[in-house]
Amino acid sequence: MGAFAPIIATIITVALILVIALIVRNIAKRLITRVVSSASTGSSITGRFRRSGAATEGIDALLNERRKQRAETMGSVLKHISSVVIMGTAVLTVLDRLTIPIAPLLTSVGILGVAIGFGAQELVKDFIAGMFMLLEDQYGVGDVIDAGAAVGTVEAVTLRVTRLRDADGRVWYVRNGTITRVGNESQGWSRAYLDVPVAWNTDVTTVRAILEHVAEEIWADADFRETLIVQEPDVFGVEQLSDSSLVFRISAKTLPAKQAQVARELRLRVKTALDSAGIPMVATA
């Protein structure tokens, strides 16, 4: 029995190392899950739009969903990394306990890692860019973005590629490492604006009053105030002057990516109001 004592002790030690590694991995996963849960439920950052009721709730819902997606993706990556580190350390410890030389193994792994790193530089670049993109919340699924190589609606985001669908229905796969700048039309809020050109001799006060009435009217419309517009439209007055026309501008803050729909409604209402007042619109150069 004494001859088997070292073997039994080694088996017990190896078993303890593996059990401790599994326990530590489970604890790490629980902590990551708790952090992810906390990060996915944050306070609203749309306090500036408190007057708009359901529109504010719409913005908060979108931001919360984006925050949840980002947190879950990062949580998945962190869980994978923690598992690899913990179990890898446990395996190396077990090998050392079994008196198996790990120095050559570590050297081989290091050389292999360097070789893979040189051969997969673009892949590593894509993954690092994807990590920072998720951490900084540059864009998410459903956003309309200009990624340089393509412009469209984001349909999927991974650590390696971003999938976009443009206005023609064409699907683009853009590697994250190739995106050097992003224009996001869907974060927080958007702006719809309309330039209204009228004749030079048109009474400025009358046109301004008509546009202000249109702004008040669309703001009072529950179909827009509750679902599309987050702040009462502004009339900026005369935006441009030329020898043949005056250009007024009306602007409204909207829910993300809803500016086109609001702008179409503004065009319709402004045209109808000017026609009723007998004020023609003129072409601008």
Side-chain angles (χ1 to χ4, degrees):
M1 186 67 179
F4 293 100
I7 298 177
I8 294 175
T10 300
I11 293 175
I12 292 174
T13 302
V14 169
L16 284 175
I17 292 173
L18 294 178
V19 169
I20 292 173
L22 291 173
I23 292 174
V24 172
R25 188 183 68 169
N26 287 336
I27 292 174
K29 286 187 174 182
R30 287 176 179 270
L31 289 175
I32 292 171
T33 300
R34 183 174 299 180
V35 171
V36 167
S37 178
S38 176
S40 63
T41 57
S43 59
S44 168
I45 61 172
T46 56
R48 73 188 72 177
F49 302 132
R50 287 300 174 201
R51 295 180 300 168
S52 54
T56 300
E57 295 177 3
I59 293 179
D60 287 342
L62 290 172
L63 294 177
N64 288 336
E65 183 62 26
R66 288 168 58 87
R67 189 185 300 114
K68 181 179 179 181
Q69 291 176 357
R70 186 172 72 256
E72 289 178 350
T73 302
M74 293 305 302
S76 176
V77 173
L78 290 175
K79 286 179 182 178
H80 181 72
I81 293 175
S82 65
S83 295
V84 170
V85 172
I86 293 171
M87 297 309 297
T89 302
V91 169
L92 292 176
T93 305
V94 169
L95 292 176
D96 183 60
R97 180 63 184 176
L98 296 175
T99 66
I100 298 176
I102 62 174
L105 177 62
L106 293 176
T107 303
S108 301
V109 170
I111 295 173
L112 180 62
V114 172
I116 293 175
F118 276 112
Q121 292 184 52
E122 296 299 326
L123 183 63
V124 173
K125 181 180 178 181
D126 294 339
F127 270 74
I128 293 175
M131 287 283 290
F132 278 104
M133 180 272 295
L134 290 171
L135 284 172
E136 297 170 358
D137 190 25
Q138 296 175 9
Y139 55 84
V141 175
D143 286 357
V144 179
I145 68 169
D146 178 354
V151 179
T153 302
V154 178
E155 290 192 338
V157 179
T158 68
L159 288 177
R160 194 179 72 85
V161 298
T162 295
R163 189 176 78 225
L164 303 174
R165 186 177 297 273
D166 64 19
D168 297 327
R170 188 182 299 108
V171 177
W172 295 82
Y173 294 87
V174 184
R175 287 181 22 235
N176 294 330
T178 64
I179 300 176
T180 57
R181 57 103 175 109
V182 177
N184 194 328
E185 298 182 11
S186 307
Q187 277 191 345
W189 52 270
S190 298
R191 184 183 296 278
Y193 69 90
L194 174 65
D195 287 337
V196 183
V198 296
W200 173 265
N201 57 356
T202 305
D203 183 67
V204 173
T205 304
T206 301
V207 175
R208 186 180 181 90
I210 292 172
L211 296 181
E212 289 176 346
H213 177 72
V214 170
E216 294 171 358
E217 188 180 60
I218 196 171
W219 179 242
D221 190 334
D223 291 337
F224 287 86
R225 179 171 180 170
E226 298 297 326
T227 59
L228 296 173
I229 302 177
V230 299
Q231 198 173 67
E232 183 174 358
D234 295 314
V235 177
F236 294 137
V238 179
E239 185 73 14
Q240 298 178 27
L241 288 173
S242 71
D243 57 355
S244 60
S245 66
L246 305 174
V247 179
F248 292 78
R249 174 167 292 183
I250 182 171
S251 170
K253 285 185 178 180
T254 73
L255 288 176
K258 298 297 183 181
Q259 67 271 27
Q261 185 175 347
V262 174
R264 285 192 292 269
E265 183 66 19
L266 283 173
R267 293 188 193 99
L268 177 62
R269 296 190 181 217
V270 167
K271 180 65 167 61
T272 301
L274 291 178
D275 287 347
S276 298
I279 300 175
M281 298 177 64
V282 299
T284 56

